[in-house]
């Protein structure tokens, strides 16, 4: 029997919204920090299937979330495409050489890097109960491309945006290559046991409207269509962070089954402009969970009420922060579940 999260993504409405949190497996959990200290670097942890499975399961064990999100990273795709990847303490990810310095043809593909991720999905699916939905994910092409081009995260994604204006054909080729590999990667996750997938477009909000159409909507539509062709029963959640007023077009044109909403969106507005019956996910501010206090349950109630009558997965507007107290997550869950 599918769990409440999978049922919601398939269009059912539950009296109590199912819950999972972006980045629920990670640094705010003491058990994660202990394992990370034992295993070493972040990338080593991702590629250690046994350890990555433990990290994926930790928040399910502690909080009883309705979904288990694969412990991995969106930059596994460029790493498998042959770009160097390292996670530097206090600096975030670094990719080398950048696509300002090199061409895709200079890279030697290493798709075997996907294998331990698939094994993590298989191991996790065995360890969690049937009513907990196994969630896979990948980064959307625009967001992944911004990292591949700049070699790191950037404040305004300027290098990729400049390339889009100066040499759109080159960016098109980069995105097409990412699309192809991402489809393979997501299909592999699904074949290993993922029951739903999420496309993270964390930097979608940096684009002008016509650029958003080209670099966000079109690539995500290609990936979604391919997944629907091979795995028609697997829901796809699209998360275009920062989409703002462009969200309705994204929801209509990408073919995704559900949309994730970031914390900047008014949930009542989103409910009024999204296609009728489309499942939504979100959109509590993660900083409010970090802050806790009386405002937290009030805001939770407002979000839940905004989506009454629509399939709704309760989640955050982005990832949970590393300094979030455990008791604040418990407070959130109490507010959602009563």
């Amino acid at each position: 029997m599918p769990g409440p999260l999978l049922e919601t993504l398939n269009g059912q409405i539950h009296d109590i919204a199912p819950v999972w949190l972006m980045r629920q497996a990670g640094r705010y959990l003491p058990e994660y920090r202990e394992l990370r200290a034992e295993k070493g670097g972040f990338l080593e942890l991702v590629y250690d299937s046994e350890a990555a499975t433990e990290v994926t399961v930790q928040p399910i064990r502690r909080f009883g979330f309705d979904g288990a999100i694969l412990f991995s990273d969106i930059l596994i795709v460029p790493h498998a495409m042959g770009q160097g990847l390292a996670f530097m303490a206090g600096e975030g990810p670094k990719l080398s050489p950048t696509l300002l310095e090199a061409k895709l043809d200079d890279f030697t593909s290493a798709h075997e890097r996907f294998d331990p991720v698939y094994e993590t999905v298989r191991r996790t699916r065995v360890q969690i109960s049937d009513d907990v939905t196994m969630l896979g994910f990948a980064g959307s092409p625009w967001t992944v491309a911004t990292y591949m081009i700049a070699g790191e995260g950037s404040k305004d994604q300027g290098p990729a945006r400049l390339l889009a204006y100066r040499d759109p054909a080159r960016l098109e080729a980069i995105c097409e290559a990412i699309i192809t590999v991402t489809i393979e990667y997501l299909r592999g996750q699904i074949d290993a046991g993922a029951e739903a997938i999420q496309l993270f477009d964390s930097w979608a909000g940096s684009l002008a409207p016509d650029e958003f159409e080209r670099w966000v909507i079109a690539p995500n539509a290609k990936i979604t269509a391919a997944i629907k062709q091979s795995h028609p029963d697997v829901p796809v959640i699209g998360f275009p962070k920062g989409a703002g007023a462009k969200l309705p077009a994204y929801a209509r044109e990408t073919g995704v089954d559900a949309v994730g909403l970031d914390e900047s969106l008014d949930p009542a507005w989103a409910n009024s402009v999204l296609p009728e019956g489309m499942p939504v996910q979100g959109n509590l501010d993660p900083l409010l969970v970090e802050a806790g206090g009386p405002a937290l349950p009030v805001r939770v109630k407002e979000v839940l009420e905004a989506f009454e009558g629509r399939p709704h997965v309760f989640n955050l507007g982005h990832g949970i922060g590393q300094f979030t107290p455990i008791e604040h997550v418990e407070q959130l869950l109490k507010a959602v579940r009563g």
Side-chain angles (χ1 to χ4, degrees):
M1 288 289 290
L5 173 54
L6 190 57
E7 289 177 341
T8 301
L9 293 174
N10 282 318
Q12 294 188 37
I13 298 173
H14 285 262
D15 291 336
I16 298 174
V19 189
W20 72 277
L21 304 181
M22 287 181 274
R23 292 194 193 140
Q24 68 186 24
R27 294 178 292 177
Y28 73 107
L29 293 175
E31 55 265 43
Y32 168 81
R33 294 194 295 270
E34 183 180 339
L35 185 63
R36 171 74 181 268
E38 176 189 331
K39 293 292 183 178
F42 174 80
L43 201 55
E44 290 77 10
L45 201 56
V46 168
Y47 287 140
D48 181 333
S49 300
E50 184 177 358
T53 299
E54 169 61 19
V55 174
T56 304
V57 174
Q58 282 174 349
I60 309 303
R61 196 181 293 137
R62 180 184 277 272
F63 299 115
F65 289 126
D66 296 292
I69 180 74
L70 166 69
F71 178 72
S72 186
D73 192 87
I74 64 169
L75 299 182
I76 298 305
V77 163
H79 201 210
M81 293 172 73
Q83 193 170 27
L85 174 63
F87 286 83
M88 316 301 291
E91 296 183 39
K94 301 287 184 182
L95 296 104
S96 59
T98 73
L99 287 180
L100 296 176
E101 305 163 327
K103 298 178 181 179
L104 284 172
D105 291 344
D106 297 333
F107 297 159
T108 301
S109 294
H111 289 203
E112 65 274 8
R113 287 173 172 150
F114 291 149
D115 292 340
V117 179
Y118 301 152
E119 180 62 17
T120 299
V121 175
R122 280 190 288 268
R123 285 171 175 258
T124 303
R125 183 61 271 176
V126 170
Q127 291 196 27
I128 59 179
S129 63
D130 290 344
D131 62 348
V132 175
T133 299
M134 183 68 215
L135 296 154
F137 74 90
S140 292
W142 164 252
T143 290
V144 173
T146 66
Y147 284 96
M148 295 183 75
I149 292 163
E152 59 187 355
S154 54
K155 186 176 181 180
D156 61 357
Q157 295 74 59
R161 290 166 59 208
L162 273 173
L163 184 63
Y165 289 124
R166 287 173 172 167
D167 194 351
R170 178 148 190 252
L171 182 56
E172 187 91 46
I174 292 168
C175 285
E176 286 296 328
I178 296 169
I179 288 167
T180 299
V181 177
T182 300
I183 291 167
E184 173 197 334
Y185 183 43
L186 290 172
R187 284 173 170 167
Q189 291 180 39
I190 295 166
D191 290 339
E195 298 163 284
I197 58 168
Q198 177 155 313
L199 292 167
F200 283 88
D201 225 339
S202 303
W203 301 128
S206 61
L207 290 166
D210 55 343
E211 296 291 284
F212 184 92
E213 184 76 31
R214 182 168 187 178
W215 306 118
V216 173
I217 289 179
N220 282 291
K222 287 184 178 181
I223 294 171
T224 302
I227 297 303
K228 291 300 172 187
Q229 182 181 33
S230 60
H231 299 86
D233 297 328
V234 174
V236 178
I237 309 165
F239 179 56
K241 188 175 189 297
K246 300 182 284 291
L247 179 71
Y250 178 98
R252 291 191 309 267
E253 297 171 25
T254 57
V256 296
D257 298 282
V259 288
L261 312 178
D262 66 70
E263 66 273 16
S264 70
L265 293 169
D266 177 354
W269 171 82
N271 187 57
S272 70
V273 298
L274 288 171
E276 185 176 353
M278 172 175 265
V280 296
Q281 178 180 278
N283 69 326
L284 189 74
D285 190 340
L287 285 176
L288 180 52
V289 188
E290 186 172 325
L296 177 56
V298 171
R299 184 58 181 164
V300 168
K301 185 171 183 285
E302 290 172 351
V303 173
L304 291 171
E305 288 178 347
F307 296 123
E308 280 182 349
R310 179 187 288 276
H312 177 213
V313 174
F314 196 91
N315 207 315
L316 305 179
H318 202 228
I320 188 168
Q322 65 170 308
F323 303 113
T324 304
I326 297 297
E327 55 268 27
H328 293 182
V329 180
E330 294 169 341
Q331 183 187 15
L332 181 156
L333 289 171
K334 183 178 179 182
V336 174
R337 293 171 170 168

